[in-house]
Amino acid sequence: EIFALAKEMKFTDVNNFSERFLKTASVMEKNLSLFQSVCKHVDIITTIIEYLNNIGMQLMFDNKYEYKKDDVVLLVIFTISEIYKGLDNTMDVFLENAILRHSVLETRYKHLRNEVISYTNEIILLADADLYAVINYFKIELPLHLNKIWIQEPIKEKFLWLMEEYFGMSNLRADINTFRTKNELFTAGIPDKMKIVSIWTEDIVFAKNLATSLNRDILFINTYMDFHCGVVLLPYTKIFDKTLHKWCKSNLDDCIKKPNVQKSIVYNLFYDGMWQQPVESTYWVHNDCQWANATSEDVNKCINSAEKGFKIWSTKPITFRVQMLSKFASILRCNGKSVLADIISTDIKFSYIYQNSLSCSQSGGLEVTKIRNPKGVIILKAKDETVLFHQLTQILTIGNSVIVICDTNSCSLAPYCNMLSASAIPSGVINLLSNEDLNELEIALCGTSYESYAEQFFSENNMEKVYMNLTIPKQIILPLK
């Protein structure tokens, strides 16, 4: 009967998702008891309806989006799927048909739905946590989908006893870790995986400070996967909007040639903070200079360098990053590159947007705090040196690392790599790959042509929009009493 409702829905424009969201919400409201019959909790359906109505109205009237419009639609679908997780596929099939069938997003959704399961889910129980409240939430959420439970040492035994008393240990599949201090909670994130954590403590100020400092994507305080009021979107864009595709296969090596003539000027690759000869000693000659021709092995080494650099650079305070970039600008100026130095000095003002990026809103019983975090490893190519340095500064100020790629038709960072080293920017933050034919290299790193890849970051001449594109949101959710 629910399947039939979706098939009966007609739309004047199948790609008008505002209409589809609102009409789907209306159908569910009119058939509330039918939909509630397939859910274990009656408020699941009302929460889904809230999401559909809220986002449907936003799509209709609001022109300012944290995400691209298409991404918003997919984020809603995937977030809602978490609300009814563990049920049969009735709701999945209904929503897919009601919102996505025959639309431009249907194929993309089918491609992505198996990837979005990649996230880690943790709970942190501090010594003053209300363990009975935790147990009550577990009752609602069973079966538990936890990767790890962090328990402060003084309450470990009581928690284990309660879990045994209420559920039996067979229901506790998560990895249990005991900790003494909060520093033990600062674990590295897993690339391309969304990280969710729930913090339980009576000290709300401490919880907010802890949440702000932890390397996680979405953090609940004294609640667990709370989606009431339809205001929280899980940041699945971290999974399906990757900045680095890492698809480097051996066919990149097919056209590589070794020159017979050795030139006096040689530009090698640059990663791990130093010049690197290509693994296969592969070069090409241009303007009487010898340029490194990166092979697949070189690319993989460079990717590893950039990922290590990102882990270091992204954790540094904005003041440190600005200081390092200012030093680089000074070195450029001393070497007669005043125009490029001025670009950096101007664009590091980008940091003021970053410093003021925290926002806090209250809606329907939840306080949602949003912070913007750097996105990861960004690929950069430019034909003009001024464009290269504008975009390079924006990428680095936020805390991303970068791989600059170049050929004979694009601008190289090679003349400036020694200056970068002298400025003490950590190794791996800035990397350089060159290749005589960039097409395969672009596909390997970007998953598409560079022009299409760059549109997601630099399509608009608006510094705040570029900032949004180069970062991902971190959300802290606190229920209001």
Coordinates of all heavy atoms in Angstrom, one line a residue, residues 356-415:
N356 N 36.0 33.6 12.1 CA 34.6 34.0 12.5 C 33.6 33.0 12.0 O 32.5 33.4 11.7 CB 34.3 35.4 12.1 CG 35.2 36.4 12.7 OD1 35.3 36.5 14.0 ND2 35.8 37.3 12.0
S357 N 34.0 31.8 11.7 CA 33.2 30.8 11.0 C 32.2 30.1 11.9 O 31.3 29.4 11.5 CB 34.0 29.8 10.3 OG 34.8 29.0 11.3
L358 N 32.3 30.2 13.2 CA 31.4 29.5 14.2 C 30.1 30.2 14.1 O 29.9 31.4 14.3 CB 32.0 29.5 15.6 CG 31.3 28.7 16.6 CD1 32.3 28.1 17.6 CD2 30.2 29.5 17.4
S359 N 29.0 29.3 14.0 CA 27.7 29.8 14.0 C 26.9 28.9 15.0 O 27.1 27.8 15.1 CB 27.0 29.9 12.7 OG 26.9 28.5 12.2
C360 N 25.9 29.5 15.6 CA 25.1 28.8 16.6 C 23.6 29.2 16.4 O 23.3 30.3 16.3 CB 25.5 29.1 18.0 SG 24.6 28.1 19.3
S361 N 22.7 28.1 16.3 CA 21.3 28.4 16.1 C 20.5 27.4 17.0 O 21.0 26.4 17.4 CB 20.9 28.2 14.6 OG 21.2 26.9 14.2
Q362 N 19.3 27.9 17.3 CA 18.4 27.0 18.1 C 17.1 26.8 17.3 O 16.6 27.8 16.8 CB 18.1 27.7 19.5 CG 19.4 27.8 20.3 CD 19.0 28.4 21.7 OE1 17.9 28.8 22.0 NE2 20.0 28.5 22.5
S363 N 16.7 25.6 17.3 CA 15.5 25.2 16.6 C 14.9 24.0 17.1 O 15.5 22.9 17.2 CB 15.8 25.0 15.1 OG 14.7 24.7 14.3
G364 N 13.6 24.1 17.5 CA 12.8 23.0 17.9 C 13.4 22.1 19.0 O 13.4 20.9 18.9
G365 N 14.1 22.7 20.0 CA 14.6 22.0 21.1 C 16.0 21.5 21.0 O 16.6 20.8 21.8
L366 N 16.7 21.9 19.9 CA 18.1 21.6 19.7 C 18.9 22.9 19.4 O 18.5 23.8 18.7 CB 18.3 20.7 18.4 CG 17.8 19.3 18.5 CD1 18.1 18.5 17.2 CD2 18.4 18.5 19.7
E367 N 20.1 22.9 20.0 CA 21.1 23.9 19.7 C 22.1 23.3 18.8 O 22.7 22.3 19.2 CB 21.7 24.4 21.0 CG 22.8 25.5 20.8 CD 23.6 25.8 22.1 OE1 23.0 26.6 22.9 OE2 24.7 25.3 22.3
V368 N 22.3 23.9 17.7 CA 23.2 23.4 16.7 C 24.3 24.4 16.4 O 24.1 25.5 16.0 CB 22.5 23.1 15.3 CG1 23.6 22.5 14.3 CG2 21.4 22.1 15.5
T369 N 25.6 24.0 16.8 CA 26.7 24.9 16.6 C 27.5 24.3 15.4 O 27.8 23.1 15.3 CB 27.7 24.9 17.8 OG1 26.9 25.3 18.9 CG2 28.9 25.8 17.6
K370 N 27.8 25.2 14.4 CA 28.6 24.8 13.2 C 29.9 25.4 13.2 O 30.0 26.6 13.4 CB 27.8 25.1 12.0 CG 26.5 24.2 11.8 CD 25.8 24.5 10.5 CE 24.5 23.7 10.4 NZ 23.8 23.9 9.2
I371 N 30.9 24.6 12.9 CA 32.3 25.1 12.7 C 32.7 24.6 11.3 O 32.4 23.4 10.9 CB 33.2 24.6 13.8 CG1 32.7 24.9 15.2 CG2 34.6 25.0 13.6 CD1 33.3 24.2 16.3
R372 N 33.5 25.3 10.6 CA 34.0 24.9 9.3 C 35.5 24.3 9.5 O 36.3 25.0 10.1 CB 34.1 26.0 8.3 CG 32.8 26.8 8.1 CD 31.7 26.0 7.5 NE 32.0 25.4 6.2 CZ 31.1 24.7 5.4 NH1 29.9 24.6 5.9 NH2 31.5 24.2 4.3
N373 N 35.7 23.1 9.0 CA 37.0 22.5 9.0 C 37.6 22.4 7.6 O 36.8 22.2 6.6 CB 36.9 21.1 9.7 CG 36.8 21.2 11.2 OD1 37.1 22.2 11.8 ND2 36.3 20.1 11.8
P374 N 38.9 22.3 7.5 CA 39.5 22.1 6.2 C 39.1 20.8 5.5 O 38.8 19.8 6.2 CB 41.0 22.2 6.4 CG 41.2 22.0 7.9 CD 39.9 22.5 8.5
K375 N 39.0 20.8 4.2 CA 38.4 19.7 3.5 C 39.4 18.5 3.3 O 39.0 17.4 3.2 CB 37.9 20.2 2.2 CG 36.7 19.4 1.6 CD 35.9 20.2 0.6 CE 34.6 19.5 0.3 NZ 33.8 20.3 -0.6
G376 N 40.7 18.8 3.0 CA 41.6 17.7 2.7 C 42.7 18.1 1.8 O 43.2 19.2 1.8
V377 N 43.1 17.2 0.9 CA 44.1 17.5 -0.1 C 43.4 18.0 -1.4 O 42.5 17.4 -1.9 CB 44.8 16.2 -0.5 CG1 45.9 16.5 -1.5 CG2 45.5 15.5 0.8
I378 N 43.8 19.2 -1.8 CA 43.2 19.9 -2.9 C 44.2 19.8 -4.1 O 45.4 20.1 -3.9 CB 42.8 21.3 -2.6 CG1 42.0 21.4 -1.3 CG2 42.1 22.0 -3.8 CD1 40.6 20.8 -1.4
I379 N 43.7 19.5 -5.3 CA 44.5 19.5 -6.5 C 44.4 20.9 -7.1 O 43.3 21.5 -7.2 CB 44.0 18.5 -7.5 CG1 43.9 17.1 -6.9 CG2 45.0 18.4 -8.7 CD1 45.1 16.6 -6.2
L380 N 45.5 21.5 -7.6 CA 45.5 22.8 -8.1 C 46.3 22.9 -9.4 O 47.4 22.4 -9.6 CB 46.2 23.8 -7.1 CG 46.3 25.3 -7.5 CD1 44.9 25.8 -7.8 CD2 46.9 26.0 -6.4
K381 N 45.7 23.5 -10.4 CA 46.4 23.8 -11.7 C 45.9 25.2 -12.2 O 44.8 25.6 -12.0 CB 46.0 22.8 -12.8 CG 46.7 22.9 -14.1 CD 46.2 21.9 -15.1 CE 44.9 22.4 -15.8 NZ 44.6 21.5 -17.0
A382 N 46.9 26.0 -12.7 CA 46.5 27.3 -13.2 C 47.4 27.7 -14.4 O 48.6 27.3 -14.4 CB 46.6 28.3 -12.1
K383 N 46.9 28.4 -15.3 CA 47.7 28.9 -16.5 C 48.4 30.2 -16.2 O 49.4 30.6 -16.8 CB 46.8 29.0 -17.7 CG 46.2 27.7 -18.2 CD 45.4 27.9 -19.5 CE 44.9 26.6 -20.1 NZ 44.2 26.8 -21.3
D384 N 47.9 30.9 -15.2 CA 48.4 32.2 -14.8 C 49.0 32.2 -13.4 O 48.4 31.6 -12.5 CB 47.3 33.2 -14.9 CG 47.8 34.6 -14.5 OD1 48.4 35.3 -15.4 OD2 47.6 35.0 -13.4
E385 N 50.2 32.8 -13.2 CA 50.9 32.7 -11.9 C 50.1 33.4 -10.8 O 50.1 33.0 -9.7 CB 52.2 33.4 -12.1 CG 53.3 32.7 -11.2 CD 54.7 33.2 -11.5 OE1 54.9 34.4 -11.6 OE2 55.6 32.3 -11.7
T386 N 49.4 34.5 -11.2 CA 48.6 35.3 -10.2 C 47.5 34.4 -9.7 O 47.1 34.4 -8.5 CB 48.2 36.6 -10.7 OG1 47.4 36.4 -11.9 CG2 49.3 37.5 -11.0
V387 N 46.8 33.7 -10.6 CA 45.7 32.9 -10.3 C 46.2 31.7 -9.4 O 45.6 31.4 -8.4 CB 45.0 32.3 -11.5 CG1 43.9 31.3 -11.1 CG2 44.3 33.4 -12.3
L388 N 47.3 31.2 -9.8 CA 47.9 30.1 -9.0 C 48.2 30.5 -7.5 O 47.8 29.8 -6.6 CB 49.2 29.6 -9.6 CG 50.0 28.5 -8.9 CD1 49.3 27.2 -9.0 CD2 51.4 28.4 -9.5
F389 N 48.7 31.7 -7.3 CA 49.0 32.1 -6.0 C 47.8 32.6 -5.2 O 47.7 32.4 -4.0 CB 50.1 33.2 -6.0 CG 51.5 32.7 -6.0 CD1 52.0 32.1 -7.2 CD2 52.3 32.6 -4.9 CE1 53.3 31.6 -7.2 CE2 53.5 32.1 -4.9 CZ 54.1 31.6 -6.0
H390 N 46.8 33.1 -5.9 CA 45.5 33.4 -5.2 C 44.9 32.2 -4.6 O 44.6 32.1 -3.4 CB 44.5 34.1 -6.2 CG 44.6 35.5 -6.3 ND1 44.4 36.4 -5.2 CD2 44.8 36.4 -7.4 CE1 44.5 37.6 -5.6 NE2 44.8 37.7 -6.9
Q391 N 44.8 31.2 -5.5 CA 44.1 30.0 -5.1 C 44.9 29.1 -4.1 O 44.4 28.5 -3.2 CB 43.7 29.1 -6.3 CG 42.7 29.9 -7.2 CD 42.3 29.1 -8.4 OE1 42.9 28.1 -8.8 NE2 41.3 29.6 -9.2
L392 N 46.2 29.1 -4.3 CA 47.1 28.5 -3.4 C 47.0 29.0 -2.0 O 46.9 28.3 -1.0 CB 48.6 28.6 -3.9 CG 49.7 27.9 -3.0 CD1 49.5 26.4 -3.1 CD2 51.1 28.4 -3.4
T393 N 47.0 30.3 -1.9 CA 46.9 31.0 -0.5 C 45.5 30.7 0.1 O 45.5 30.4 1.3 CB 47.0 32.5 -0.7 OG1 48.3 32.8 -1.4 CG2 47.1 33.2 0.7
Q394 N 44.5 30.7 -0.7 CA 43.1 30.4 -0.1 C 43.1 28.9 0.4 O 42.6 28.7 1.5 CB 42.1 30.6 -1.2 CG 41.9 32.1 -1.5 CD 41.0 32.2 -2.8 OE1 40.7 31.3 -3.5 NE2 40.6 33.5 -3.0
I395 N 43.6 28.0 -0.4 CA 43.7 26.6 0.0 C 44.5 26.4 1.3 O 44.0 25.7 2.3 CB 44.3 25.8 -1.1 CG1 43.3 25.7 -2.3 CG2 44.6 24.4 -0.6 CD1 44.0 25.1 -3.5
L396 N 45.6 27.1 1.4 CA 46.5 26.8 2.5 C 46.1 27.6 3.8 O 46.2 27.0 4.9 CB 47.9 27.3 2.2 CG 48.6 26.5 1.0 CD1 50.0 27.1 0.8 CD2 48.7 25.0 1.4
T397 N 45.5 28.7 3.7 CA 45.1 29.5 4.8 C 44.1 28.7 5.6 O 44.1 28.7 6.9 CB 44.5 30.9 4.4 OG1 45.5 31.6 3.7 CG2 44.1 31.7 5.6
I398 N 43.2 28.1 5.0 CA 42.1 27.3 5.6 C 42.6 26.1 6.4 O 42.1 25.7 7.4 CB 41.0 26.9 4.6 CG1 40.3 28.1 4.1 CG2 40.1 25.9 5.2 CD1 39.4 27.8 2.9
G399 N 43.7 25.5 5.9 CA 44.3 24.3 6.5 C 44.4 23.1 5.6 O 44.7 22.0 6.1
N400 N 44.0 23.3 4.3 CA 44.1 22.2 3.4 C 45.6 22.0 2.9 O 46.4 23.0 3.0 CB 43.3 22.4 2.2 CG 41.8 22.4 2.5 OD1 41.3 21.5 3.1 ND2 41.1 23.6 2.2
S401 N 46.0 20.9 2.5 CA 47.2 20.7 1.8 C 46.9 20.7 0.3 O 45.8 20.6 -0.2 CB 47.9 19.4 2.2 OG 47.2 18.3 1.8
V402 N 48.0 20.7 -0.6 CA 47.8 20.9 -2.0 C 48.8 20.1 -2.8 O 49.9 19.9 -2.4 CB 47.9 22.4 -2.3 CG1 49.3 23.0 -2.1 CG2 47.4 22.7 -3.8
I403 N 48.3 19.6 -3.9 CA 49.2 19.1 -5.0 C 49.0 19.9 -6.2 O 47.9 20.0 -6.8 CB 48.8 17.6 -5.3 CG1 49.0 16.7 -4.1 CG2 49.7 17.1 -6.4 CD1 48.6 15.3 -4.3
V404 N 50.0 20.7 -6.6 CA 50.0 21.5 -7.8 C 50.5 20.6 -8.9 O 51.5 19.9 -8.9 CB 50.9 22.7 -7.7 CG1 50.9 23.5 -9.0 CG2 50.5 23.6 -6.5
I405 N 49.7 20.6 -10.0 CA 50.1 19.8 -11.2 C 50.3 20.7 -12.4 O 49.7 21.8 -12.5 CB 49.0 18.8 -11.6 CG1 47.6 19.4 -11.8 CG2 48.8 17.7 -10.5 CD1 46.5 18.5 -12.3
C406 N 51.3 20.4 -13.2 CA 51.6 21.3 -14.3 C 52.1 20.5 -15.5 O 52.6 19.4 -15.4 CB 52.6 22.3 -13.9 SG 54.2 21.7 -13.5
D407 N 52.0 21.2 -16.7 CA 52.6 20.7 -17.9 C 53.1 21.9 -18.7 O 53.2 23.0 -18.1 CB 51.7 19.9 -18.8 CG 50.4 20.6 -19.2 OD1 50.3 21.9 -18.9 OD2 49.5 20.0 -19.8
T408 N 53.4 21.8 -20.0 CA 53.9 23.0 -20.7 C 52.8 24.1 -20.9 O 53.2 25.2 -21.1 CB 54.3 22.5 -22.1 OG1 53.2 21.9 -22.8 CG2 55.5 21.6 -22.0
N409 N 51.6 23.8 -20.7 CA 50.5 24.8 -20.9 C 50.0 25.4 -19.6 O 49.1 26.1 -19.6 CB 49.3 24.1 -21.6 CG 49.7 23.7 -23.0 OD1 50.4 24.4 -23.7 ND2 49.3 22.4 -23.4
S410 N 50.6 25.0 -18.5 CA 50.1 25.5 -17.2 C 51.3 26.0 -16.3 O 52.5 25.6 -16.6 CB 49.3 24.4 -16.4 OG 50.1 23.3 -16.2
C411 N 51.0 26.7 -15.3 CA 52.1 27.4 -14.5 C 52.7 26.4 -13.5 O 51.9 25.6 -12.9 CB 51.4 28.5 -13.8 SG 52.6 29.6 -13.0
S412 N 54.0 26.4 -13.4 CA 54.6 25.5 -12.4 C 55.0 26.3 -11.2 O 55.3 27.4 -11.2 CB 55.9 24.9 -13.1 OG 56.6 24.2 -12.1
L413 N 55.0 25.5 -10.1 CA 55.4 26.1 -8.8 C 56.9 25.8 -8.5 O 57.5 26.3 -7.5 CB 54.6 25.4 -7.7 CG 54.5 26.1 -6.3 CD1 53.9 27.5 -6.4 CD2 53.7 25.3 -5.3
A414 N 57.5 25.1 -9.5 CA 58.9 24.7 -9.3 C 59.9 25.9 -8.9 O 60.7 25.7 -8.0 CB 59.4 24.0 -10.6
P415 N 59.8 27.1 -9.5 CA 60.7 28.1 -9.2 C 60.6 28.6 -7.7 O 61.5 29.3 -7.2 CB 60.4 29.3 -10.2 CG 59.7 28.6 -11.3 CD 58.9 27.4 -10.7

